[in-house]
Amino acid sequence: MGNRTRQYLVLVLAVLLMVGGWIGFWKYAANAAHENIENWRAREAKAGRVLTCGAQEIGGFPFRFELKCDGASAVLGGGQIPVELKAANVHIAAQVYQPTLLISELTGPLTIGGTSFAIHLHVENADEWIDRAVREGATLVRPPSDAFYGERS
């Protein structure tokens, strides 16, 4: 075997070792990411925030780590008013070379449920604001009226 053939063989073996090492690193890191996500979910559940996926997949080989969560939901019950968020799909990606930068994508429809609430605003001319809200698409539940304490709502 000639010197040139030996050099090519060493080069091919070096490339194969590098590729194999990268595949091993990526698989190990993806498995570690999966374990960290599950541990994070458990910690969040103890705090009253339940995060679930209907179907979860970790991918992105060779230069990214991607978490795809179909049928994502979050029940945020840590406070006094529990809120439930649901999305058709959540996709989060991080580059191998910059793992602290997360890029997220949410596919609708996004639904927000839980306990209802009301917002009370004080404005100078309630009738004008109510008319504007109706023109912009709001639904008027009851007509404006004067309250016994002197405000119009």
Side-chain angles (χ1 to χ4, degrees):
M1 180 166 25
N3 193 25
R4 199 157 188 82
T5 305
R6 189 174 299 133
Q7 288 176 341
Y8 284 127
L9 184 59
V10 168
L11 179 62
V12 168
L13 286 174
V15 169
L16 288 175
L17 282 173
M18 288 173 52
V19 168
W22 184 257
I23 292 170
F25 160 75
W26 194 92
K27 294 282 187 184
Y28 173 79
N31 187 45
H34 177 73
E35 289 176 15
N36 284 332
I37 290 168
E38 293 307 316
N39 291 337
W40 173 69
R41 280 190 184 142
R43 286 190 311 271
E44 290 296 304
K46 286 181 184 176
R49 298 177 292 266
V50 180
L51 310 165
T52 58
C53 288
Q56 176 180 304
E57 177 185 336
I58 293 182
F61 181 79
F63 300 117
R64 296 167 60 122
F65 293 104
E66 297 178 355
L67 171 67
K68 294 179 184 177
C69 176
D70 293 330
S73 70
V75 178
L76 310 175
Q80 293 180 352
I81 302 173
V83 176
E84 183 176 18
L85 306 170
K86 290 184 180 182
N89 182 303
V90 174
H91 184 188
I92 302 170
Q95 304 294 342
V96 171
Y97 56 85
Q98 196 175 13
T100 58
L101 175 64
L102 299 177
I103 302 164
S104 303
E105 181 179 281
L106 182 80
T107 304
L110 174 66
T111 57
I112 301 172
T115 305
S116 62
F117 61 93
I119 298 174
H120 186 87
L121 300 173
H122 291 271
V123 294
E124 289 295 323
N125 39 18
D127 290 317
E128 289 179 23
W129 282 97
I130 291 169
D131 290 341
R132 179 179 175 188
V134 170
R135 281 194 312 271
E136 296 293 329
T139 302
L140 190 60
V141 177
R142 61 178 173 79
S145 61
D146 293 323
F148 70 91
Y149 46 85
E151 289 188 7
R152 185 156 178 79
S153 60

